[in-house]
Amino acid sequence: MDDELRQKIRSFLKKHRLTVIATIDTKNNRPEAACIAFAEKDTLELVFGTPNTSRKYQNLEHNKNVSFVIGWSDELGTVQYEGVARELSGEEAVEHGTLMAEKNENARAFLTRETQRYFLVTPTWIRLVDKSTSPQEVFEMSLEN
């Protein structure tokens, strides 16, 4: 079932380009959320970019834990996703920035911006609500070591 569930999640992620990311402002101990573009890898890792001047970037400097909600469709369902973000640099940042641009054409404009940074998020927990079935199905996967 694990491989089948991973394939269901991968398929769901490929159908979406936007997500809501939540981070924690550790100075004020408050949550912050934003709608952003993302790309996915076959490993279920997520990639996103943000300027190093953004609130989410500042938050991630102090707390690498993030959560996402992907999809909010009555037909498809949603994925809730928690993980740990790692800032990328060098060739790894270029490679993942290109992956972002391949999925999200608008992301191409950010590839050469000096302030743009890219993150790779390793999942720790994923919940898929699959509304393409009747009745809907709910699957959870814990990936923490």
Side-chain angles (χ1 to χ4, degrees):
M1 176 59 172
D2 192 44
D3 286 341
E4 185 180 330
L5 178 54
R6 285 176 181 272
Q7 184 53 42
K8 277 183 179 268
I9 294 168
R10 266 192 296 275
S11 176
F12 185 91
L13 295 174
K14 288 182 186 304
K15 293 176 185 172
H16 295 84
R17 294 181 315 161
L18 298 176
T19 182
V20 173
I21 183 174
T23 59
I24 297 292
D25 172 357
T26 54
K27 286 186 268 183
N28 298 308
N29 199 32
R30 294 183 185 178
E32 293 179 350
C35 186
I36 62 169
F38 77 97
E40 72 288 331
K41 297 184 71 170
D42 286 341
T43 56
L44 302 181
E45 293 168 302
L46 299 183
V47 178
F48 70 93
T50 188
N52 64 2
T53 56
S54 71
R55 293 189 317 167
K56 73 183 90 42
Y57 183 85
Q58 305 305 317
N59 294 345
L60 289 168
E61 284 191 306
H62 303 285
N63 186 337
K64 303 293 184 198
N65 295 299
V66 295
S67 63
F68 301 89
V69 175
I70 303 162
W72 31 85
S73 162
D74 286 338
E75 296 83 34
L76 296 177
T78 62
V79 161
Q80 293 168 267
Y81 182 112
E82 295 175 0
V84 179
R86 176 175 64 88
E87 185 175 355
L88 304 173
S89 61
E91 279 301 311
E92 204 174 23
V94 171
E95 172 189 337
H96 289 81
T98 302
L99 180 66
M100 280 284 303
E102 288 171 359
K103 182 170 184 176
N104 302 281
E105 184 60 36
N106 293 340
R108 191 165 305 285
F110 297 95
L111 288 173
T112 58
R113 291 198 180 165
E114 191 175 307
T115 60
Q116 185 72 355
R117 302 295 184 266
Y118 291 97
F119 287 85
L120 181 65
V121 182
T122 302
T124 56
W125 177 83
I126 303 174
R127 181 176 191 251
L128 168 66
V129 177
D130 184 353
K131 290 189 172 188
S132 70
T133 62
S134 184
Q136 75 180 22
E137 296 180 291
V138 178
F139 305 94
E140 286 190 22
M141 175 183 273
S142 181
L143 301 156
E144 291 189 90
N145 295 336

